[in-house]
């Protein structure tokens, strides 16, 4: 079996620059807030969250939740379910959901609705990537890294059946499917 590396789609340098910009914008927007509560969506967002949290110049806290869609990785995906909940109560807190990628929009719509019920002081979302062409549920992304076409991307936390998560850049699966 050959171990072909995915083709570079967004370079490490471009990601670093964009994450820095997002960090500055978010820090400015939340400058008056005591603590910004970052909620990472496992597992895809773990690297983005690590970098974004360090790009912030305001006090922050970090928590995680995990979701899965029913069915397999093969489309069509089913509804979303919560696998692991937050450890902290978000009532009265300023919450920023940190997502790797918004594809159909189902996951983000589900999470926004779920967390809104818990009475946060504010609730927004930051996603590194968005594929507007595959949207099925309309969602607002308050802070977005990059819009991309409807291709399967890997790296920087994103996987292809658990492969390539640790790539430092965002790549596209090679045409052979490896
Ligand atoms: P949505 O509910 O369809 O918006 O799906 C969002 C989730 O699907 C993301 O958080 C990812 O875990 C996964 N996903 C969607 N597109 C990709 C991709 O191109 N590469 C890796 N994961 C993806
Ligand atoms: Mg995700």
């Amino acid at each position: 079996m050959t171990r072909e590396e995915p083709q570079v789609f967004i370079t490490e340098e471009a990601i670093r620059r964009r994450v820095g910009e997002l960090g500055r914008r978010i820090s400015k927007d939340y400058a008056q807030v005591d603590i910004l509560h970052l909620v990472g969506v496992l597992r895809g967002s773990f690297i983005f969250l690590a970098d974004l949290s360090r790009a912030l110049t305001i006090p922050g806290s970090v928590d995680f939740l995990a979701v899965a869609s029913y069915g397999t990785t093969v489309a069509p995906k089913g509804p979303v379910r919560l696998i692991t909940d937050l450890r902290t109560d978000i009532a009265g807190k300023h919450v920023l959901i940190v997502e790797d990628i918004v594809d159909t929009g189902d996951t983000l719509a589900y999470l926004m609705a779920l967390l809104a019920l818990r009475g946060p002081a504010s609730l927004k979302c930051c996603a590194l990537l968005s594929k507007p062409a595959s949207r099925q549920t309309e969602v607002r992304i308050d802070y977005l890294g990059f819009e991309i076409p409807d291709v399967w991307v890997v790296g920087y936390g994103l996987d292809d059946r658990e492969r390539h998560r640790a790539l430092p850049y965002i790549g596209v699966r090679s045409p052979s499917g490896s």
Side-chain angles (χ1 to χ4, degrees), residues 41 44 99-100:
V41 184
E99 252 290 35
D100 53 356

Side-chain angles (χ1 to χ4, degrees), residues 48-64:
F48 178 43
L49 179 72
D51 285 345
L52 183 69
S53 61
R54 288 177 292 179
L56 296 177
T57 54
I58 51 169
S61 59
V62 172
D63 202 350
F64 292 96

Side-chain angles (χ1 to χ4, degrees), residues 41-45 67 69 77-78 80 99-109 129 131 134-136 139 148-155 157-160 165 171:
V41 184
L42 293 172
R43 287 168 284 184
S45 76
V67 289
S69 29
K77 294 200 289 188
V80 183
E99 252 290 35
D100 53 356
I101 185 165
V102 181
D103 185 18
T104 62
D106 291 351
T107 305
L108 184 57
L129 303 167
K131 295 185 204 174
S134 45
R135 203 74 88 241
Q136 283 169 19
V139 283
I148 62 167
D150 190 10
V151 290
W152 196 264
V153 288
V154 293
L158 293 118
D159 74 308
D160 175 18
R165 275 198 205 278

